[in-house]
Amino acid sequence: MTKKNISLLFLLVLFCPLTCLFAKRQAGEASKREISMKERRADRNFIHQNFDKAMALAEEALSMETNTDNKASMHLNTARLYYMLRNYVAASEHYASALEMHSEMLTMEDICDYIDALRFQGLNCEAEAICLNNAYRDPYSRYQRYQNTLQALSMRHSIEDEKGYHAERLELNGEHSEFWINRYEGNTFYAISYSPFNDPGKLFFHRTRYYTLEKNNNKVISAAPSYKKFFRRIPIDLQNGPVTFNNDLSMMISTVIKYNKSKVSVDLIDKDMRPFRTKLVFSTIKEGSRRFSKYTPLFEGAEKNSYSYAQPFLLEDDNTLLFSSDMPGGYGGFDLYITHWDSEKRVWSVPTNLGPSVNTEGNEIFPVVYDKRLIFASNGHPGFGAYDLYGVAFENHKVSSEVKHMPAPVNSVYNDYYFFPIDANTAYFVSDRNIETK
């Protein structure tokens, strides 16, 4: 063999391992790109409410991932998405995988959602095991929602209805979420979310439709859709939560969902990047006009920031508004705020937090005022579990007594989060206590 041939042989032997390494690196990069592309496609489909396709793509991307930390993160993100779709079986499976692979990755909210996903399937023993595994961790011992969840598991067989109270599930309930009741021009109506999507925070609901509530032979029944009669002037894409009107119906405040268009993603690992934000807009009818004016953000600059504003409720004076928000400066989660209308400047005042007697590190939502009493839902006050309903005296736009927890059967160990009084003895409220799992 010549020297030239020896040199060629050496180069070939050396080149083959390098080629294999380069090919493997290229394959790895291609695999990462493919996973990333599938995740982005899943996100886009989820935001556009193509939920079956979105979750199929998310599962495909997850099956391709080999890195343990990445896989745990993807399990957690997938669990959160399934939880929002009320597919509690799939959600609990992915929460379990994420917990096994990287337990520190789950937040306290994730643990509570995982426990609830098990509870909603009737798997209370499994839920108790997860709950007790975290019971002695210091952050959990001080976190009220977790304590409420633990309480719900221990109290589920022992809660007794208080005498004088009676709760009845209405026959009109269907497969969709009935989430809001109110009155308009003397008529009682309720709102249904025609979408599988269920925001865990109960802040907004997709594809809203409205139905009247009527009585027939002392039974509350549902009439034909009443959108044209009640809300013909409101664009349907603004109907993503409660709407409130002043007394003469010349002002309307509505909830709008804003998406993070610069990052079409539902990467819920980083809460600051979540794409779903709710904003409040208002419109007025000028004197002599029959149409509402252009919809204007309630607060200057609010539509551009990353915080949510939701669930408006106008008081009878027409100039005072209650709402919930996670804006900075609160006590944690969503707090209740109050703002006042300046008729001369035609702007809403800087919001004022209702204070620590009402607001907690958890979420306070769905404010309603009836007969000088503020009624709201919270998962941060001591209660039976999940969201419960509370009441407090509310005079001169201020809280003037201690917050009181409503008794069973109004509250349950599940989510009870909207209360609308009809008179001193009757009220409608919303609950998922008769939840049906997939």
Side-chain angles (χ1 to χ4, degrees):
M1 182 179 289
T2 64
K3 289 183 178 181
K4 185 176 180 180
N5 288 335
I6 293 173
S7 298
L8 286 173
L9 180 63
F10 173 77
L11 288 173
L12 286 171
V13 171
L14 179 64
F15 181 68
C16 284
L18 288 175
T19 304
C20 293
L21 288 172
F22 182 68
K24 287 182 179 179
R25 188 175 68 179
Q26 279 192 317
E29 289 176 353
S31 178
K32 287 181 180 179
R33 285 197 300 270
E34 190 174 357
I35 292 171
S36 180
M37 287 175 62
K38 284 187 181 293
E39 286 186 292
R40 287 197 297 271
R41 287 176 59 199
D43 290 347
R44 284 195 294 270
N45 277 280
F46 194 93
I47 287 174
H48 292 126
Q49 300 201 49
N50 301 320
F51 298 123
D52 289 342
K53 187 173 182 180
M55 298 317 299
L57 287 166
E59 293 281 11
E60 286 181 29
L62 181 56
S63 67
M64 296 168 62
E65 183 59 68
T66 56
N67 179 275
T68 301
D69 286 343
N70 290 345
K71 202 173 186 71
S73 175
M74 292 171 71
H75 271 300
L76 180 55
N77 201 49
T78 305
R80 290 167 170 172
L81 296 179
Y82 274 126
Y83 188 86
M84 285 189 270
L85 295 177
R86 291 180 290 178
N87 187 336
Y88 299 118
V89 174
S92 57
E93 290 173 355
H94 285 284
Y95 276 129
S97 297
L99 189 63
E100 182 180 355
M101 298 174 72
H102 200 319
S103 62
E104 297 301 318
M105 189 174 288
L106 280 74
T107 67
M108 287 183 283
E109 286 292 315
D110 289 319
I111 293 293
C112 289
D113 287 345
Y114 178 23
I115 294 167
D116 280 348
L118 292 169
R119 287 203 302 139
F120 294 157
Q121 298 174 68
L123 302 175
N124 291 306
C125 292
E126 291 85 344
E128 284 178 348
I130 301 299
C131 216
L132 292 172
N133 283 342
N134 294 278
Y136 300 103
R137 294 172 62 181
D138 186 57
Y140 288 82
S141 66
R142 294 180 284 107
Y143 188 57
Q144 190 61 52
R145 184 189 170 192
Y146 178 81
Q147 293 301 313
N148 289 349
T149 303
L150 192 62
Q151 182 85 336
L153 287 164
S154 63
M155 293 179 64
R156 63 184 185 274
H157 299 304
S158 60
I159 295 178
E160 294 184 2
D161 293 350
E162 186 166 316
K163 292 181 179 180
Y165 288 85
H166 171 71
E168 179 182 351
R169 187 176 187 269
L170 300 181
E171 294 181 2
L172 55 82
N173 289 294
E175 61 178 335
H176 301 290
S177 296
E178 294 83 6
F179 71 92
W180 180 52
I181 307 100
N182 215 307
R183 295 181 72 83
Y184 184 89
E185 294 183 332
N187 298 286
T188 306
F189 67 91
Y190 68 103
I192 298 179
S193 175
Y194 274 75
S195 170
F197 187 94
N198 181 44
D199 172 37
K202 313 299 182 188
L203 297 172
F204 61 91
F205 298 82
H206 275 295
R207 297 177 180 173
T208 299
R209 296 183 188 178
Y210 297 92
Y211 293 81
T212 55
L213 282 171
E214 299 179 0
K215 280 193 173 182
N216 184 17
N217 295 326
N218 293 323
K219 286 189 176 182
V220 179
I221 62 171
S222 175
S226 54
Y227 171 78
K228 290 183 179 179
K229 180 179 179 182
F230 291 151
F231 302 110
R232 60 188 178 276
R233 298 187 182 100
I234 309 176
I236 193 66
D237 61 346
L238 296 188
Q239 300 306 304
N240 297 304
V243 179
T244 188
F245 294 86
N246 62 358
N247 289 312
D248 65 6
L249 308 179
S250 63
M251 177 182 287
M252 165 184 54
I253 301 172
S254 181
T255 305
V256 184
I257 295 178
K258 293 286 186 179
Y259 295 100
N260 185 345
K261 295 181 180 179
S262 63
K263 180 178 173 61
V264 184
S265 169
V266 284
D267 180 8
L268 302 175
I269 300 300
D270 182 351
K271 289 188 176 182
D272 290 336
M273 297 305 293
R274 61 185 175 133
F276 303 107
R277 302 290 176 184
T278 53
K279 306 298 176 184
L280 296 177
V281 295
F282 77 99
S283 181
T284 57
I285 296 179
K286 294 181 179 180
E287 189 175 349
S289 175
R290 293 184 177 180
R291 295 184 178 181
F292 279 102
S293 61
K294 180 182 177 181
Y295 293 90
T296 305
L298 210 69
F299 306 111
E300 184 178 355
E303 76 280 7
K304 297 179 182 179
N305 65 37
S306 59
Y307 310 109
S308 286
Y309 305 76
Q311 300 158 347
F313 183 86
L314 264 173
L315 274 63
E316 289 184 359
D317 65 6
D318 284 349
N319 296 315
T320 307
L321 181 78
L322 294 172
F323 66 95
S324 61
S325 176
D326 63 347
M327 70 176 78
Y331 294 89
F334 279 79
D335 284 358
L336 299 184
Y337 288 82
I338 191 169
T339 181
H340 304 279
W341 173 249
D342 187 325
S343 57
E344 292 185 2
K345 296 180 180 179
R346 301 189 68 78
V347 295
W348 290 93
S349 67
V350 175
T352 301
N353 191 292
L354 287 188
S357 61
V358 169
N359 292 313
T360 68
E361 66 177 359
N363 293 334
E364 281 68 49
I365 59 173
F366 281 112
V368 172
V369 174
Y370 179 81
D371 194 23
K372 296 182 180 180
R373 192 160 188 82
L374 170 64
I375 303 164
F376 63 96
S378 172
N379 60 12
H381 286 278
F384 293 155
Y387 278 111
D388 273 3
L389 289 158
Y390 301 81
V392 63
F394 191 73
E395 299 182 82
N396 300 319
H397 304 155
K398 293 182 180 179
V399 173
S400 57
S401 70
E402 291 185 1
V403 170
K404 292 187 177 180
H405 180 249
M406 291 190 180
V410 177
N411 281 318
S412 69
V413 297
Y414 295 102
N415 288 301
D416 310 289
Y417 56 90
Y418 187 75
F419 191 91
F420 186 75
I422 300 299
D423 55 44
N425 298 311
T426 309
Y428 293 106
F429 67 98
V430 178
S431 175
D432 61 10
R433 64 189 65 185
N434 291 301
I435 196 163
E436 294 179 2
T437 61
K438 291 183 179 181

